[in-house]
Amino acid sequence: MVLLATGGTISSRVQPAFGGATVAIDRGEQILGSLRSQPPYPVRVVDLFHEGSYLLTFGDMADICAKIADALSDPLVMGVVVTHGTDTMEETAFLADLTHDDPRPVVFTGAQRPADSAEPDGPGNLSRAIALAGSAAARERGVLLCFAGEIFPARGVRKAQTFDLHAFTNPDFGQAGFISAAGDIQMDDVLPRLDPLPLPSAGDGDDPRVDLVAAYPGADSLLLLASCGAGASGVVLQATGSGNANRVMCQAIADATAAGVVIVTSTRVQAGPVLPVYGHGGGKDLATAGAIPSGLLKPSQALVLLGLLLRLGMDREQIAQTFARHGAHPQPGSKSPRTQSIHQY
Ligand code: ASP
C-alpha cells in the first residue's frame, strides 16, 4: 500500500511562526504514526508536498495524479491512499478518477480537525481509508473518497460542511458505501466507469487559462469580458437554477464562443442537471449562444474537466461530447459502462 501525503488539515498544526495560524506541516510518516493501531498492510509513504489544498493549482493536482500512477506501476502495490486537504479534495479526486486506468483502489481522505486538536478525526479517517484501499470491495470502482465512515465516488462529490466531521456529500451520484471503525465495509451498487482520459504531462503545450464566472441578480458581462481579455481558453459559468444567466451575459457568451472561447454552463444549485429550458438569457439562449451544458457536474468539477480537455487539445465538439458523457446520470443496469453512450435527459 502507498500513502501519498499532500498536506491539508490532517497534517496541520497551530504555528506561532505564522501568527498562530493552522498550517500543513506534518510529513506522511507523522500522519501514519498517528494511527492508534498498526495498519493491516505494510504502508510505504510518499511525500509529495505539504500544503493546504486551497493553494493547489491544476499542475499540482496533475502531479498528484502522476504520483498515483507511479505508485501503481509497481504490481506489488495493492492500492493507494492520498491524504489531502478537504477544501479542494473534490477537484483532485475527480481529476484522478478521470485519468485512473487501473482496477486497484485509490482512496482520498483527510480531516476536519487539525492533528494537534484535542480529538483529531484524521487518524480514524486514515485507518478506514487504508482498510478500504486494501479491500477487494473497492477494486474496479475508480477513485473513492473515504471520510467519517462514508465512502463516495469521486464524480459528483462535494464538500458540504465547513467544520462538521461529515464533511462530504454526493447529491447527484450518491454514496458508494460505508466503512466502520473496525474496517467492515458495506458497498452499494457500482457507479458505471467511463473510459479513462489521458493525463497531460507537465510541459505538454500551453497551460490554458480556465476561469469561473458567476451569474447572480444584477450580474453584468464585465467579469466574463475580463476573463476573455486575459486570454481565457475556457470559462465555466456558475449559472443560477437549471443553468440560466441573463440577456447581457448571454450576448457576451455568444461573442466569446464566436471568438473560440469554450464556455460551459454549470449551476450553483446543489443537485440536478443543467438543462436548456428558459429564454431571455436563460439556459436555452445560452445553448444557442454556444455554451455547453455541464450535465450534473457542478462548477468545481466542471472546471477540472474543462481544464483537462483543453490541455488535451480537444475542440469544442469533442468537449461537448465528453461533458455529455461525464455529466450524465449513470444509466441503471448499463451493460457496458465503460463505453456508455451520450445520455439524453
Ligand atoms: N480545511 C482544509 C483541510 O481540510 C484545508 C485544506 O483544504 O487544506 O485540509
Side-chain angles (χ1 to χ4, degrees):
M1 171 93 42
V2 167
L3 167 61
L4 180 58
T6 72
T9 296
I10 194 168
S11 70
S12 294
R13 295 172 188 274
V14 172
Q15 291 300 297
F18 291 92
T22 296
V23 295
I25 195 103
D26 285 359
R27 304 286 172 150
E29 285 297 348
Q30 277 166 283
I31 299 170
L32 190 62
S34 72
L35 294 183
R36 288 172 200 119
S37 56
Q38 275 294 106
Y41 319 104
V43 178
R44 178 162 60 83
V45 172
V46 176
D47 273 298
L48 183 50
F49 40 69
H50 45 103
E51 297 276 26
S53 72
Y54 45 86
L55 298 176
L56 301 189
T57 62
F58 190 96
D60 295 326
M61 296 192 295
D63 279 353
I64 294 172
C65 298
K67 281 282 184 293
I68 293 170
D70 266 10
L72 292 174
S73 67
D74 177 349
L76 295 177
V77 169
M78 61 203 305
V80 178
V81 171
V82 183
T83 52
H84 192 289
T86 54
D87 286 18
T88 64
M89 199 183 283
E90 67 205 55
E91 278 98 338
T92 308
F94 186 49
L95 184 62
D97 189 53
L98 288 167
T99 56
H100 183 52
D101 190 13
D102 197 291
R104 286 170 289 175
V106 173
V107 180
F108 278 68
T109 196
Q112 286 285 69
R113 296 182 186 148
D116 58 357
S117 69
E119 278 187 80
D121 56 329
N125 284 343
L126 180 58
S127 74
R128 285 169 156 132
I130 291 173
L132 182 65
S135 76
R139 284 177 68 89
E140 302 276 10
R141 289 181 177 257
V143 173
L144 299 169
L145 204 139
C146 178
F147 213 92
E150 296 172 315
I151 304 166
F152 298 99
R155 187 160 30 130
V157 77
R158 308 183 71 185
K159 187 167 183 182
Q161 292 283 346
T162 49
F163 292 106
D164 191 280
L165 298 188
H166 290 267
F168 288 92
T169 181
N170 195 334
D172 287 312
F173 296 95
Q175 198 163 329
F178 296 91
I179 177 164
S180 74
D184 299 319
I185 298 166
Q186 179 205 315
M187 291 299 264
D188 296 336
D189 288 347
V190 182
L191 191 64
R193 300 279 303 138
L194 298 169
D195 292 333
L197 292 161
L199 182 67
S201 34
D204 259 10
D206 291 339
D207 215 17
R209 182 181 183 99
V210 185
D211 288 328
L212 177 68
V213 173
Y216 48 87
D220 62 17
S221 57
L222 184 104
L223 295 178
L224 193 60
L225 295 176
S227 167
C228 297
S233 309
V235 174
V236 171
L237 174 71
Q238 181 180 289
T240 59
S242 57
N244 305 306
N246 57 40
R247 293 182 182 88
V248 73
M249 293 187 90
C250 189
Q251 183 55 54
I253 284 168
D255 296 343
T257 55
V261 182
V262 181
I263 312 273
V264 171
T265 307
S266 184
T267 174
R268 66 183 189 174
V269 178
Q270 167 86 343
V274 165
L275 288 176
V277 177
Y278 295 97
H280 298 319
K284 192 151 178 51
D285 289 354
L286 293 175
T288 305
I292 298 166
S294 69
L296 291 167
L297 295 178
K298 298 304 178 282
S300 58
Q301 295 195 337
L303 266 174
V304 169
L305 182 55
L306 182 57
L308 174 61
L309 301 183
L310 287 168
R311 280 169 175 83
L312 294 175
M314 286 195 187
D315 64 22
R316 192 200 163 278
E317 199 39 47
Q318 293 169 310
I319 292 175
Q321 287 174 8
T322 310
F323 265 92
R325 278 197 300 279
H326 288 266
H329 207 279
Q331 300 187 49
S334 162
K335 286 235 164 45
S336 176
R338 286 174 75 85
T339 52
Q340 187 180 9
S341 60
I342 297 170
H343 180 72
Q344 301 295 330
Y345 288 102

